Amino acid sequence: MDLEKDRLFELEQQSIYIIREAYKKFPKLAMLWSMGKDSTVMLWLVRKAFYGKVPFPMVHIDTTFKIPEMIKYRDEKAKEWGLNLIVAKNEKALAAGMNHNVGRLECCTALKTEALKNFLQENPFQAIFVAIRRDEEGTRAKERYFSPRDESFKWDFTEQPPELWDQYNTDFPSDVHVRVHPLLHWSELDIWRYIEKEKIPVLDLYFAKDGTRYRSVGCAPCTKNIESDADTLDKVIAELRITKTGERAGRAQDQADNYAMQKLRVKGYM
Amino acid sequence: MDHSYRRVVIAGHVDHGKSTLVGRLLSDTQQIFPERIEKVKKICDQNGKKFEFAFLLDAFEEEQKEGITIDKTEIPWVYAGKEFLIIDTPGHKEFLKNMISGASTAEAALIMLDAEEGIREQFKRHSYIVGLLGIKNIIVVVNKMDLVNYSEDHYKKLLQKIERIYSDLRIKAAHIVPVSAFYGENLLKRSPQLSWYKGPTLADALVSVFDKKEQQKHDLRFALQDVYKFDEKRIYAGKIESGCLSVGDKLKFLPSGSVSRVRSIESWNTASPVLHAPEGSSTGFTLEDPLFLERGEIAFHENEKAPAVTFQVHASLFWMSSSPLLPRKTYKFKMATQEVECKIENIFNVFNPQTFDEQATKDKESLRLDNGEAGEIIIKFQKNIVCDSFSDFSSTGRFVLLDNHRIVGGGVILSSNTIQVFKESSELTSQERARHYGHQGAVLWLTGLSGAGKSTIAKQLEKKLFHMNAHTLVLDGDNLRKALNRDLGFSDEDRKENIRRTGAVAKLVADSGSIVIAALISPFKSDRDLVRAQMEGTKFIEVFVNCPLEECEKRDTKGLYKKARAGEIKGFTGIDSDYEAPVKPELMIQSDSMNPEQAVDKILHYLLKEKILNSKAQ
């Protein structure tokens, strides 16, 4: 369908524009890469924006509980695509025995939010790219493309700057940390259609084996697979067109509390 | 720009039926799962409520908490094979900032109006903002026709009111569609109850506004974002805001004035080399000459319309900050990829959406824009910028202002053609001149219908002033058109230019110490306000020479009314072109009941009172 191709073109070009704006405006810049489909598409767009180059580091916040296939994929692609890969962990919390049994929200906060916070304190990147999308869940829908955080990385969603047309606010005092969200306007279906169009190699975990597949990937203990026979891109896309459940329904931390994501994100979760 | 999704913003007063309309559009086109409708019906039963289509949207919110995620603020809708994205606008308190963020990219607007309740404040406010954002495809949805017995008479009365308000706001509704969203009447299908309505259904109206031929120009505008030096190549990266470019094209860059040809369009992961980049592309290319160019340059094709290079523009602005916009303060101006420091020279025609003052003009002294207000401004830049008027090119005609790292205002350029008088650094001050001549310099601007007596009054006033030893000069519209303005006709555009030039000359002469008497029909308020706004300290006195049209037509000293009535002259003020009377002129001369001598005396009296003329001069 031509209409859909146009939409993908429009999404792609806008994201490239945002990526280039951030690259121009923030000399100290990095990108969060979780090896999931979204951040892999974002990485693909970076390669497109800079004609095959990746001119800033990719950061993986490693909880050490990731599904093993993810780590294998990460190391392979980092080598193949010539990435400057940085792996960051909250060693202190891990040494103290943090895991999901302590509590899902506590575990996410320590091994993801805190890990990221610590990493950014030690490595002064003024801005980081994060591959969140508005349609993922309610609080992300309220985000901006260029979203400032205060010194403790808190997000003030009640007092956000306006964003008009494509005049993004890229002008921040040097002590403000900025989250840049180039995929904010994409939907889950857009991501898959783009993966299909560009033939982007994504994790095998997304495709069904023995009647199940992952719709969203994360830590092994907190990510459930779904029942599905979609073992090809076409089938995944077909499945998404008729699905009635949310993308993150398999992510246990979201369900820990009605407002779990809001609570996590205000503190600095991705 | 050709959006694959047709972006439609929906606005209007709180209970005028936004949610019902969207719910109904979705369910009548089977774009909402029947299970969902059943579920909402069940919830309604449990709570003892009657089912309403509006609840379908509320249900989204409930379901969001359960992990089903639908971006409530942007709802996709497909009709007649076309994809629409309906952008819901949030509640009115944070309206301006959030609505503008959401709606700024919309190409059409649906503005809801409750037929029974009639026009409320928010209807006007939303209409105004939508107009200001440059959304030209406006559809007014006159909803709840069922509550007024589908009365054609009622609709017609509303129609008149809407048209009057819209003409005040200088916007146009493409369609004004009577519907009952609740019963789904006139949304997709015509309703027998509304058989007197001959226009399109709401859905067809929506399709048609997007099918309309665009007024916008599609000449090339490429905004340079960055220059990459990869592998010995110098790649000029940026966005094609308008038009398209191909390998071999000769490009001219402004403000630098550099010219070169496109050697290659860069690409990655494509099967064959890219030779062409369409509108909307974030592209990158190399040039035959390695030009040194900085971010902010705008490229265009030399054989097409060139953008303006200017240090001053006239713009509309909406303000979104708790600290007011003040003149003389420095702000950062951002447009496409250009960023320049600027100062606001003047603020006029202030509009407050909260109060909706129809006269729209605050006291001339209060030069500021408060949070939520909009107005017209003259912006002066620290260095030249490259721009277009918003009506020609949207993306090189719209901008934001930043203060202290925050976006505080958004606006559109009305014209880059301002008076632009360079102030020569003179050794003489205006006080010295005033002492020498015995009077101050000033511009008396006589406006009124043809035949109202402007020229007669101007000439007599000039004579009187001359005999009082004052330095004075008449700038007569008709005479100016024989020389300085002989290239101009009577289109709105040419009239604007006529007034701009006359204003510039009037200011120059007044600054030399003379009392300038400009006599021009100058029918449009905005043009006169613009001249006033650019006087920068030069005294400007607007004199409304008021004479009823019937009287002017009876006098018809030049026989022009007769010709206009006969259709021999087109666009004649008062006949087939409007005259917008001044709202608060400094002086009004009722020239049908006052003879020219009395009029001259009244003006002299004013000049004495304002100490422009020295009382000794008499």
Side-chain angles (χ1 to χ4, degrees):
Chain A
M1 215 164 129
D2 270 344
L3 217 60
E4 295 199 339
K5 253 190 237 153
D6 282 352
R7 170 159 171 84
L8 289 183
F9 171 78
E10 202 180 284
L11 290 169
E12 174 194 62
Q13 299 300 315
Q14 193 188 346
S15 298
I16 290 175
Y17 184 78
I18 292 165
I19 289 166
R20 286 175 170 177
E21 278 298 277
Y23 178 63
K24 176 77 191 171
K25 293 291 179 171
F26 305 107
K28 296 288 284 175
L29 181 68
M31 181 173 273
L32 290 189
W33 184 37
S34 70
M35 291 80 70
K37 63 190 189 316
D38 301 316
S39 59
T40 303
V41 164
M42 181 164 70
L43 171 53
W44 193 263
L45 289 166
V46 170
R47 300 174 77 206
K48 219 167 205 189
F50 304 111
Y51 306 105
K53 305 255 182 308
V54 183
F56 37 77
M58 291 292 125
V59 179
H60 176 218
I61 303 295
D62 193 355
T63 60
T64 71
F65 293 101
K66 296 287 165 194
I67 305 169
E69 285 94 325
M70 293 170 73
I71 302 300
K72 187 170 160 263
Y73 171 86
R74 176 190 79 189
D75 295 339
E76 266 174 30
K77 294 298 167 204
K79 210 170 145 194
E80 188 184 329
W81 295 340
L83 306 178
N84 172 8
L85 179 72
I86 303 173
V87 178
K89 295 175 192 166
N90 187 347
E91 303 280 6
K92 225 163 100 187
L94 286 167
M98 175 57 77
N99 68 66
H100 64 283
N101 292 323
V102 178
R104 293 189 197 279
L105 291 186
E106 289 80 354
C107 183
C108 264
T109 301
L111 299 186
K112 289 187 182 173
T113 313
E114 289 298 322
L116 175 63
K117 226 186 261 188
N118 296 345
F119 169 76
L120 288 170
Q121 257 147 21
E122 286 156 29
N123 302 272
F125 291 107
Q126 197 194 351
I128 49 166
F129 287 109
V130 187
I132 61 161
R133 305 190 327 266
R134 285 209 171 110
D135 77 332
E136 282 178 281
E137 51 87 35
T139 67
R140 286 179 176 173
K142 294 187 175 69
E143 270 289 3
R144 300 285 199 250
Y145 292 101
F146 290 81
S147 179
R149 297 291 196 270
D150 70 6
E151 359 17 291
S152 56
F153 300 108
K154 280 209 179 108
W155 177 44
D156 183 3
F157 55 84
T158 56
E159 234 332 285
Q160 294 201 76
E163 274 181 347
L164 294 185
W165 306 303
D166 49 4
Q167 296 297 317
Y168 309 111
N169 189 4
T170 51
D171 201 20
F172 299 97
S174 55
D175 60 333
V176 170
H177 173 70
V178 184
R179 297 275 179 90
V180 186
H181 303 130
L183 300 185
L184 205 54
H185 51 304
W186 294 55
S187 70
E188 186 185 11
L189 192 57
D190 294 329
I191 293 282
W192 280 110
R193 286 190 8 244
Y194 191 68
I195 290 168
E196 184 188 38
K197 174 177 169 259
E198 293 283 309
K199 302 185 179 63
I200 303 173
V202 291
L203 279 165
D204 277 340
L205 295 169
Y206 287 114
F207 303 104
K209 243 177 251 143
D210 307 324
T212 64
R213 69 175 194 95
Y214 287 91
R215 189 161 161 202
S216 173
V217 297
C219 296
C222 294
T223 311
K224 267 201 316 219
N225 44 19
I226 57 165
E227 279 183 30
S228 167
D229 294 321
D231 55 0
T232 63
L233 266 173
D234 280 349
K235 287 184 191 166
V236 167
I237 290 168
E239 185 187 282
L240 281 176
R241 284 189 196 275
I242 55 159
T243 187
K244 285 165 209 166
T245 51
E247 180 182 4
R248 292 181 66 90
R251 300 291 284 269
Q253 70 266 34
D254 295 24
Q255 272 66 47
D257 175 326
N258 273 344
Y259 297 99
M261 276 304 272
Q262 194 170 329
K263 287 178 184 167
L264 280 168
R265 298 203 70 241
V266 166
K267 286 187 194 149
Y269 187 85
M270 294 64 123
Chain B
M1 212 174 109
D2 183 28
H3 280 282
S4 53
Y5 262 28
R6 292 158 171 78
R7 299 174 62 88
V8 184
V9 61
I10 179 162
H13 207 274
V14 191
D15 285 321
H16 285 196
K18 283 194 295 174
S19 304
T20 309
L21 180 75
V22 179
R24 195 80 216 207
L25 287 178
L26 289 173
S27 75
D28 287 3
T29 51
Q30 286 83 44
Q31 289 173 58
I32 201 156
F33 296 116
E35 293 89 332
R36 187 162 285 145
I37 300 179
E38 284 313 310
K39 188 179 165 190
V40 175
K41 282 189 174 155
K42 215 191 264 167
I43 296 171
C44 288
D45 282 347
Q46 283 165 2
N47 299 330
K49 276 197 218 165
K50 203 174 149 230
F51 169 79
E52 284 186 25
F53 283 92
F55 296 152
L56 290 174
L57 295 188
D58 299 336
F60 286 167
E61 210 163 31
E62 287 303 307
E63 287 171 356
Q64 241 173 5
K65 286 182 188 159
E66 293 165 30
I68 296 176
T69 56
I70 291 163
D71 187 352
K72 197 169 79 83
T73 57
E74 294 191 356
I75 304 147
W77 180 63
V78 181
Y79 180 73
K82 306 203 154 80
E83 283 188 77
F84 295 88
L85 205 59
I86 301 174
I87 307 162
D88 197 5
T89 55
H92 75 266
K93 201 177 169 201
E94 266 285 79
F95 171 76
L96 203 64
K97 212 166 72 176
N98 289 345
M99 186 271 187
I100 285 173
S101 294
S104 67
T105 54
E107 294 145 299
L110 294 177
I111 303 180
M112 304 295 293
L113 175 64
D114 182 328
E116 193 187 34
E117 219 178 71
I119 289 165
R120 293 276 298 267
E121 201 179 298
Q122 277 200 59
F123 172 78
K124 299 178 190 171
R125 186 184 299 158
H126 291 203
S127 298
Y128 178 78
I129 299 287
V130 159
L132 198 68
L133 284 167
I135 302 172
K136 294 207 179 63
N137 303 315
I138 301 175
I139 299 172
V140 177
V141 186
V142 182
N143 190 24
K144 306 195 188 179
M145 284 303 291
D146 51 306
L147 297 183
V148 295
N149 300 318
Y150 304 96
S151 156
E152 179 178 9
D153 208 39
H154 192 94
Y155 167 81
K156 277 194 171 151
K157 276 186 194 140
L158 276 174
L159 196 76
Q160 278 177 1
K161 279 190 195 162
I162 295 165
E163 280 172 351
R164 201 168 53 238
I165 290 168
Y166 274 28
S167 127
D168 282 351
L169 296 176
R170 289 177 163 268
I171 53 178
K172 265 203 180 105
H175 299 280
I176 300 176
V177 187
V179 309
S180 163
F182 192 85
Y183 293 109
E185 290 168 304
N186 236 2
L187 300 185
L188 305 179
K189 282 196 204 114
R190 303 199 149 273
S191 159
Q193 311 266 28
L194 296 165
S195 56
W196 46 263
Y197 170 75
K198 301 296 175 216
T201 59
L202 179 64
D204 289 340
L206 251 181
V207 171
S208 79
V209 295
F210 282 99
D211 282 349
K212 225 172 46 189
K213 200 101 186 99
E214 263 190 273
Q215 295 294 302
Q216 288 251 322
K217 294 199 165 57
H218 284 279
D219 293 344
L220 175 66
R221 293 291 182 269
F222 167 84
L224 184 63
Q225 199 176 5
D226 207 345
V227 180
Y228 304 132
K229 282 153 213 147
F230 296 146
D231 310 325
E232 308 300 307
K233 266 190 206 163
R234 190 183 275 267
I235 302 170
Y236 301 89
K239 189 167 168 196
I240 301 180
E241 304 279 8
S242 163
C244 53
L245 67 80
S246 303
V247 171
D249 281 5
K250 192 172 164 194
L251 300 183
K252 179 164 184 173
F253 291 84
L254 288 174
S256 68
S258 315
V259 177
S260 187
R261 279 187 192 280
V262 177
R263 184 202 294 273
S264 67
I265 293 174
E266 296 301 297
S267 62
W268 177 76
N269 198 38
T270 50
S272 50
V274 173
L275 300 173
H276 178 82
E279 189 166 277
S281 305
S282 283
T283 186
F285 52 79
T286 62
L287 292 171
E288 287 182 357
D289 311 283
L291 299 179
F292 178 76
L293 295 169
E294 283 185 324
R295 175 186 164 93
E297 294 267 338
I298 303 280
F300 67 104
H301 289 133
E302 254 187 309
N303 58 345
E304 293 175 348
K305 186 179 160 64
V309 180
T310 177
F311 71 95
Q312 187 172 291
V313 295
H314 169 213
S316 285
L317 181 83
F318 38 89
W319 193 247
M320 297 175 280
S321 167
S322 48
S323 42
L325 173 86
L326 299 171
R328 313 277 161 216
K329 196 180 149 173
T330 300
Y331 296 94
K332 191 190 237 185
F333 173 94
K334 197 165 176 249
M335 170 194 268
T337 53
Q338 302 176 82
E339 285 164 49
V340 189
E341 298 221 311
C342 73
K343 277 192 175 135
I344 308 305
E345 275 301 306
N346 213 332
I347 304 167
F348 55 109
N349 281 348
V350 173
F351 171 88
N352 182 330
Q354 260 84 44
T355 56
F356 191 76
D357 178 1
E358 297 228 12
Q359 300 303 348
T361 320
K362 278 209 288 192
D363 289 341
K364 277 149 199 155
E365 281 70 35
S366 64
L367 285 171
R368 56 189 268 164
L369 281 188
D370 288 312
N371 199 4
E373 286 186 336
E376 290 175 44
I377 54 171
I378 305 287
I379 316 176
K380 212 164 211 167
F381 305 103
Q382 214 168 52
K383 58 175 194 185
N384 275 340
I385 65 146
V386 184
C387 68
D388 291 287
S389 70
F390 182 73
S391 55
D392 286 346
F393 293 87
S394 56
S395 45
T396 44
R398 60 194 183 196
F399 62 90
V400 292
L401 290 184
L402 286 98
D403 183 26
N404 196 18
H405 306 289
R406 285 183 84 92
I407 291 177
V408 285
V412 300
I413 291 182
L414 301 173
S415 167
S416 56
N417 232 352
T418 56
I419 284 181
Q420 298 207 3
V421 176
F422 283 97
K423 267 218 181 85
E424 284 300 331
S425 51
S426 171
E427 308 238 320
L428 296 172
T429 65
S430 53
Q431 286 90 338
E432 279 174 294
R433 289 185 206 266
R435 227 176 299 132
H436 184 79
Y437 295 131
H439 61 82
Q440 294 186 46
V443 175
L444 283 156
W445 192 275
L446 275 55
T447 169
L449 291 170
S450 174
K454 298 180 299 297
S455 298
T456 313
I457 295 169
K459 276 184 264 180
Q460 294 200 16
L461 177 63
E462 184 188 37
K463 209 160 139 190
K464 194 92 184 241
L465 284 169
F466 180 77
H467 288 304
M468 291 162 74
N469 290 323
H471 285 248
T472 180
L473 174 74
V474 170
L475 295 176
D476 185 88
D478 290 342
N479 289 337
L480 290 173
R481 279 185 175 277
K482 286 174 194 146
L484 176 69
N485 297 336
R486 69 174 174 199
D487 55 327
L488 301 176
F490 290 88
S491 66
D492 286 6
E493 193 78 352
D494 279 2
R495 279 173 183 250
K496 211 180 170 73
E497 176 62 12
N498 179 38
I499 288 162
R500 185 192 72 82
R501 287 185 200 170
T502 311
V505 173
K507 179 173 163 49
L508 273 174
V509 178
D511 285 352
S512 77
S514 293
I515 297 172
V516 180
I517 308 158
L520 286 91
I521 299 173
S522 45
F524 303 125
K525 182 176 171 298
S526 58
D527 294 340
R528 296 188 305 263
D529 287 347
L530 185 57
V531 171
R532 176 195 294 278
Q534 296 178 88
M535 283 294 141
E536 293 174 20
T538 307
K539 286 236 157 53
F540 182 82
I541 302 137
E542 188 174 15
V543 183
F544 177 23
V545 183
N546 191 3
C547 184
L549 177 66
E550 304 76 62
E551 176 62 24
C552 293
E553 200 168 348
K554 213 164 74 194
R555 292 179 187 171
D556 205 4
T557 38
K558 297 170 201 157
L560 294 173
Y561 283 98
K562 210 169 166 186
K563 282 189 186 163
R565 286 286 182 205
E568 290 167 39
I569 310 176
K570 289 264 176 287
F572 193 75
T573 303
I575 307 297
D576 54 354
S577 181
D578 286 341
Y579 178 78
E580 298 170 1
V583 180
K584 282 185 199 161
E586 275 77 5
L587 269 172
M588 184 162 83
I589 304 289
Q590 201 64 50
S591 66
D592 55 334
S593 61
M594 210 182 241
N595 64 37
E597 291 74 32
Q598 289 169 314
V600 167
D601 282 346
K602 189 170 177 184
I603 297 171
L604 285 174
H605 181 75
Y606 180 87
L607 295 176
L608 285 164
K609 195 185 87 200
E610 292 296 311
K611 303 211 165 50
I612 290 164
L613 278 178
N614 199 322
S615 52
K616 276 181 280 177
Q618 281 186 308

